[in-house]
Amino acid sequence: ADPLDERELAETLRAKVETLRVVFPLFQCLAKKEVARGRFLEAAAAWHGHVLRPLVTLLRIRWSPARHDFGFRLIHEDLPAAVLDELRPLAWPAGPESLEKLLPAAEAHFDRTLRSLELDR
């Protein structure tokens, strides 16, 4: 395998963080809208795609930058136990109605992680 290009990685991560900073707040509400419409499969897809996946990406950038694009693969090896404990309930909502209750926790986790990345600069 080729050696890791630290400069290229840093630029890739910076661009991803900037995209997530803009996109996360815009699309997270889609899950709530689909629940309100009674479209629970669409709500689950929106939750996973627009809330959980971007949060995991940001957490990986924070805790495992070289594997920032691994998604959920090897997540137990790459994230601290306390972060996994906070993430676990967000990954298994009790049902469609719980998404709205879980959204503030997901937002808070995202915001804290984003702030910690900004402090690391």
Side-chain angles (χ1 to χ4, degrees), residues 37-102:
R37 294 174 179 143
R39 299 178 187 169
F40 302 132
L41 294 175
E42 289 93 332
W47 178 262
H48 209 277
H50 297 298
V51 177
L52 195 56
R53 189 170 29 92
L55 175 57
V56 166
T57 299
L58 193 67
L59 290 168
R60 283 192 158 283
I61 289 170
R62 171 67 177 93
W63 296 104
S64 182
R67 298 203 283 202
H68 67 278
D69 55 353
F70 274 37
F72 289 86
R73 201 174 65 138
L74 301 175
I75 198 167
H76 287 90
E77 287 82 3
D78 292 342
L79 299 184
V83 173
L84 291 169
D85 288 344
E86 192 172 357
L87 190 58
R88 201 167 287 114
L90 300 175
W92 291 98
E97 58 284 338
S98 69
L99 295 182
E100 190 168 358
K101 294 175 187 163
L102 289 173

Side-chain angles (χ1 to χ4, degrees), residues 13-14 16-18 20-21 54-65 109-121:
L13 297 180
R14 187 200 61 72
K16 278 192 183 231
V17 168
E18 290 311 310
L20 290 168
R21 178 192 319 277
L55 175 57
V56 166
T57 299
L58 193 67
L59 290 168
R60 283 192 158 283
I61 289 170
R62 171 67 177 93
W63 296 104
S64 182
H109 201 159
F110 186 90
D111 290 342
R112 270 195 321 279
T113 305
L114 192 59
R115 280 194 309 276
S116 74
L117 285 167
E118 291 168 346
L119 292 174
D120 287 347
R121 288 186 192 173

